[in-house]
Amino acid sequence: MQAQAETRQRLLDAAATTFARKGYTAAKLDEIAEAAGYSVGAVYSNFASKEQLFSELMAERAADRVGAVAEVLRSARPDQPGGAFGELGRLLIDGADKNIEVAALQTEFWLHAIRNPDTMGILAESTRGTLDLLLDVVTRLLEEHRVDQSIVSAEAFAVVVLALYQGLTRQRRTDPSRVSEDLFGQALSWQLAGMPKLRD
Amino acid sequence: MQAQAETRQRLLDAAATTFARKGYTAAKLDEIAEAAGYSVGAVYSNFASKEQLFSELMAERAADRVGAVAEVLRSARPDQPGGAFGELGRLLIDGADKNIEVAALQTEFWLHAIRNPDTMGILAESTRGTLDLLLDVVTRLLEEHRVDQSIVSAEAFAVVVLALYQGLTRQRRTDPSRVSEDLFGQALSWQLAGMPKLRD
DNA sequence: GTCTATACCCAGATAGAC
DNA sequence: GTCTATCTGGGTATAGAC
């Protein structure tokens, strides 16, 4: 890797954790630079402004956690003890528990995009990537459960899965006792069970 | 209403929209005071600090939108044309479309509570109020659909409904084309249809 | 209780040396 | 390309008058 590119990457990494921990406005470029092992000047040598640093991060990181989600979903074996997707849901919830910064950063992206419509396209595109990762996994799930995909599109289901994941993660942070490790898996299996099926 | 209490209320209202539009750190007390028709001094006569103003808002507003959610759910007549809960989902999504500030403020609350654990209790309590509003409504739904509540608790379902609502709202803002007005209602009806039922 | 004025500090961005 | 020093603006919080 070129020295330049490495600097950029380190700054982006430092920016990710700092923005996640403090929020966009409260995060200081000073702090980001220091966390990356550089000085403020380095930031401005590589990015036009704080705003642009954030935007680039948004483009780079939006699909982040989703990779893990898709990975887990892919390797998941449905219909296990403790309800279908029990294992799956637990893995995802555990991951979210351990890595609060990912959720915080994603949320920070959304708020920023809401307030700066010019950047919403970046977020939409990144999230599109996330959904694509989910798409082939949930397609397999729909097939296994013999769901009629002329009625329930895989795209729609992928969106619902992501929404559930985001919403439950948020509520679990707010009060863990309300969101058991099994809840995500249970909700998923109820969804699948209730969808219209292909005739035999 | 006492003059004092009225000032407080106006400041809280102004704070709500300003924090929603700009975010906690970027929102200026100056701006809030002006929006309320007062000056900065009035803020400090009524609240100890910016932080405390925000905390009080959090306690007061967390259940906000949920009132509407529960109201709609309560009056909703399931099993209508276009899929069960079609009307319901559309009303909720419409509401969210029109009032972006509520979602932004709630999200702002969550991020702030994540970063200031002392205030998480306030958010948890307020959200508890929201869930309580949902609880008796979803209980009715579970009964109507003859769901076995010894397996599926109304509390768990309420949490899932709220999670879905929050997640879909967020994704609809990101890209409306991915979240049709019907999707929330569809997801709800799939959920209910797939839950274990009481025997006849 | 509310206002105006000010103290105090802090952070984004730029200039110029290396 | 990176650093140090600085310019500049702005925002929380307080003091004192009314």
Side-chain angles (χ1 to χ4, degrees):
Chain A
M1 190 187 260
Q2 303 249 344
Q4 242 123 308
E6 197 169 322
T7 300
R8 269 182 77 89
Q9 196 53 53
R10 283 185 190 163
L11 287 170
L12 282 168
D13 290 345
T17 70
T18 307
F19 282 135
R21 284 205 253 251
K22 304 285 185 70
Y24 176 75
T25 312
K28 305 156 209 174
L29 289 180
D30 201 356
E31 202 180 348
I32 292 172
E34 191 180 14
Y38 294 90
S39 187
V40 220
V43 175
Y44 284 96
S45 297
N46 288 279
F47 303 92
S49 64
K50 185 182 187 181
E51 167 69 29
Q52 209 222 27
L53 169 60
F54 190 79
S55 292
E56 284 210 26
L57 191 63
M58 205 158 107
E60 197 203 55
R61 296 293 172 95
D64 222 17
R65 164 76 5 205
V66 181
V69 174
E71 204 52 52
V72 173
L73 275 168
R74 185 169 292 118
S75 65
R77 306 178 7 128
D79 298 299
Q80 284 181 345
F85 307 108
E87 178 80 12
L88 165 58
R90 264 172 260 128
L91 279 168
L92 287 173
I93 296 292
D94 275 357
D97 283 352
K98 284 174 192 147
N99 204 341
I100 177 62
E101 287 182 7
V102 174
L105 188 58
Q106 297 296 328
T107 304
E108 203 66 44
F109 286 160
W110 185 78
L111 280 176
H112 188 269
I114 286 286
R115 293 163 183 156
N116 305 273
D118 288 355
T119 66
M120 186 55 96
I122 302 174
L123 180 60
E125 197 177 341
S126 283
T127 309
R128 178 70 262 166
T130 297
L131 286 171
D132 285 341
L133 282 172
L134 274 178
L135 207 50
D136 63 312
V137 181
V138 302
T139 300
R140 211 197 59 196
L141 286 179
L142 291 179
E143 280 164 3
E144 281 174 0
H145 286 255
R146 305 187 55 73
V147 173
D148 187 341
Q149 295 191 41
S150 69
I151 300 178
V152 181
S153 77
E155 167 77 12
F157 186 43
V159 170
V160 169
V161 170
L162 188 55
L164 253 178
Y165 176 72
Q166 291 174 337
L168 288 180
T169 294
R170 176 155 150 187
Q171 286 192 62
R172 185 168 164 90
R173 269 288 148 184
T174 304
D175 184 348
S177 73
R178 276 175 214 152
V179 185
S180 77
E181 292 198 328
D182 293 327
L183 191 54
F184 183 56
Q186 286 171 338
L188 274 188
S189 64
W190 294 332
Q191 287 277 338
L192 277 166
M195 290 171 171
K197 300 300 192 309
L198 288 168
R199 302 198 310 136
D200 287 317
Chain B
M1 190 186 262
Q2 304 249 343
Q4 238 124 310
E6 196 169 324
T7 301
R8 269 182 77 88
Q9 197 52 55
R10 283 187 190 161
L11 287 170
L12 282 167
D13 290 346
T17 69
T18 308
F19 282 135
R21 284 203 254 249
K22 303 284 185 70
Y24 176 76
T25 312
K28 304 155 207 171
L29 288 180
D30 201 356
E31 202 180 349
I32 293 173
E34 193 180 12
Y38 294 91
S39 186
V40 218
V43 175
Y44 284 96
S45 297
N46 287 279
F47 304 92
S49 63
K50 184 183 187 181
E51 168 69 29
Q52 210 222 28
L53 169 59
F54 190 78
S55 293
E56 284 210 27
L57 191 62
M58 207 158 106
E60 197 203 54
R61 297 292 171 95
D64 223 17
R65 164 79 1 207
V66 179
V69 175
E71 205 51 54
V72 173
L73 274 170
R74 185 170 291 115
S75 65
R77 307 180 5 131
D79 298 298
Q80 286 181 343
F85 306 107
E87 178 80 12
L88 165 59
R90 262 171 262 129
L91 279 168
L92 288 173
I93 296 293
D94 275 357
D97 282 353
K98 283 174 191 145
N99 203 340
I100 177 60
E101 287 183 7
V102 174
L105 188 59
Q106 298 297 329
T107 303
E108 203 66 44
F109 286 160
W110 185 79
L111 279 176
H112 188 269
I114 287 286
R115 293 164 184 156
N116 305 272
D118 288 356
T119 67
M120 185 56 96
I122 302 173
L123 180 60
E125 197 177 341
S126 282
T127 310
R128 178 69 262 165
T130 298
L131 286 171
D132 286 341
L133 284 172
L134 274 177
L135 205 51
D136 64 310
V137 182
V138 302
T139 300
R140 209 196 62 196
L141 286 179
L142 292 179
E143 279 164 4
E144 281 174 0
H145 285 254
R146 306 188 54 71
V147 172
D148 186 342
Q149 295 190 39
S150 69
I151 299 178
V152 181
S153 77
E155 166 78 11
F157 185 43
V159 170
V160 169
V161 170
L162 187 56
L164 253 177
Y165 176 71
Q166 291 172 338
L168 288 180
T169 294
R170 176 156 150 187
Q171 286 191 62
R172 184 166 164 95
R173 268 289 148 185
T174 305
D175 184 350
S177 73
R178 278 175 213 154
V179 185
S180 79
E181 291 198 329
D182 292 328
L183 191 54
F184 183 55
Q186 286 170 339
L188 274 188
S189 64
W190 295 332
Q191 288 277 338
L192 277 166
M195 289 171 171
K197 300 301 191 310
L198 288 168
R199 302 199 308 135
D200 289 317

